[in-house]
């Protein structure tokens, strides 16, 4: 379970102080599918960075499975990111010079997984997203939807308990958007993940069990 208690995040811009998150208190149970919506600049990306252990709050605490992410030493925080949290980005973030198989394998290097096991698990992960025959292709040889499938395989191959998706369908057409969401929902259901999706798309948000809206750093549940 995620537990956020009075989490605030501020940035200094010149003489101005920008409040990205304002005393956010929130619980997200294990296994829940959550959509986060809100206007540009409302705090969605900042909240996702906190959940992904990519940044620390200015004040307040955030914990995952009883680990206080706001206070862990950097090495342990890196371990949490490597083992427990998978992240899927709008722009895919694949390494262009590596094949789909190699991109997926890279996620397991920080875990110390041996080369043979990495190869086996990467093939299985690509098969689970419908790309079993595309492992030898470079990202430039794949469609946008296929690249996002590789990114999902990369995020899931390390067997995380949490999958964070930052506008995962933002660069895709409507038909491919629905295919990717079908895939995310299936993997969420099969694996029992906590799935948190940041999106501008109400059609995507409506598929979640729970919807949160964030504006001016404040978070509330959408009825």
């Amino acid at each position: 379970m995620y537990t956020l208690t009075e989490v605030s995040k501020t940035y200094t811009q010149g003489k101005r102080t920008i409040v990205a998150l304002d005393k956010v208190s929130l619980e997200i149970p294990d296994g829940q599918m959550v959509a986060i919506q809100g206007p540009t600049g409302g705090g969605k990306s900042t909240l996702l960075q906190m959940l992904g252990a990519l940044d620390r709050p200015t004040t307040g605490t955030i914990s995952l499975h009883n680990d206080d992410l706001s206070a862990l030493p950097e090495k342990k925080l890196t371990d949490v990111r490597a083992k427990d949290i998978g992240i899927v980005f709008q722009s895919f973030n694949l390494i262009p010079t590596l094949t789909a198989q190699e991109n997926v394998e890279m996620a397991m290097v920080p875990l110390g997984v041996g080369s043979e096991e990495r190869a086996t698990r990467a093939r299985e992960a690509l098969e689970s997203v419908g790309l079993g025959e595309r492992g030898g292709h470079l990202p430039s040889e794949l469609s946008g939807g296929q690249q996002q499938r590789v990114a999902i395989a990369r995020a899931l191959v390390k067997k995380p308990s949490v999958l964070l998706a930052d506008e995962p369908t933002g660069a895709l057409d409507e038909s491919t958007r629905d295919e990717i969401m079908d895939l995310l929902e299936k993997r969420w259901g099969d694996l029992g993940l906590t799935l948190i999706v940041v999106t501008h798309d109400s059609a995507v948000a409506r598929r979640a069990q729970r919807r949160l809206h964030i504006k001016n750093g404040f978070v509330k549940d959408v009825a």
Side-chain angles (χ1 to χ4, degrees):
M1 175 184 283
Y2 274 110
T3 303
L4 285 72
T5 305
E6 296 285 300
V7 170
S8 294
K9 183 65 178 181
T10 59
Y11 300 95
T12 301
Q13 192 175 78
K15 295 183 178 181
R16 292 198 317 157
T17 298
I18 297 172
V19 180
L21 295 176
D22 196 346
K23 296 181 181 178
V24 174
S25 293
L26 179 68
E27 289 189 350
I28 299 176
D30 291 340
Q32 191 169 65
M33 179 179 176
V34 181
I36 301 174
Q37 289 182 284
T40 299
K44 298 189 303 298
S45 295
T46 302
L47 179 57
L48 197 74
Q49 288 177 329
M50 298 295 157
L51 297 173
L54 297 170
D55 199 359
R56 300 178 190 266
T58 305
T59 59
T61 61
I62 174 168
S63 66
L64 173 63
H65 304 150
N66 298 318
D67 286 326
D68 184 355
L69 303 183
S70 49
L72 283 181
E74 191 58 41
K75 186 180 184 304
K76 290 188 177 181
L77 205 59
T78 299
D79 289 342
V80 169
R81 289 194 295 265
K83 296 176 182 177
D84 294 330
I85 301 171
I87 305 179
V88 178
F89 300 94
Q90 177 179 348
S91 56
F92 320 135
N93 284 15
L94 301 178
I95 299 172
T97 56
L98 300 184
T99 64
Q101 169 89 14
E102 291 166 339
N103 266 283
V104 176
E105 287 188 33
M106 286 295 292
M108 292 176 280
V109 172
L111 302 179
V113 178
S115 59
E116 289 188 12
E117 184 179 349
R118 287 203 307 268
T120 298
R121 285 171 59 174
R123 284 194 298 270
E124 292 172 349
L126 287 169
E127 287 170 2
S128 76
V129 299
L131 290 180
E133 298 179 355
R134 295 289 190 271
H137 288 64
L138 294 171
S140 60
E141 299 170 322
L142 301 172
S143 69
Q146 289 172 332
Q147 290 185 62
Q148 193 60 292
R149 286 173 182 267
V150 174
I152 292 169
R154 180 185 59 190
L156 293 178
V157 73
K158 57 188 182 178
K159 303 177 182 179
S161 60
V162 175
L163 181 62
L164 305 178
D166 188 6
E167 297 283 359
T169 63
L172 306 175
D173 60 43
E174 187 173 302
S175 175
T176 309
R177 172 201 70 187
D178 293 341
E179 291 176 2
I180 292 298
M181 286 308 301
D182 288 344
L183 173 61
L184 285 173
E185 282 190 31
K186 185 176 189 310
R187 302 311 294 152
W188 163 66
D190 290 346
L191 301 173
L193 296 161
T194 302
L195 174 58
I196 302 173
V197 181
V198 167
T199 182
H200 280 94
D201 190 336
S202 293
V204 171
R206 283 194 294 269
R207 300 176 69 143
Q209 290 178 310
R210 179 184 183 188
R211 295 169 66 182
L212 299 174
H213 188 269
I214 183 167
K215 183 178 181 180
N216 297 329
F218 295 99
V219 177
K220 66 177 182 179
D221 276 278
V222 177

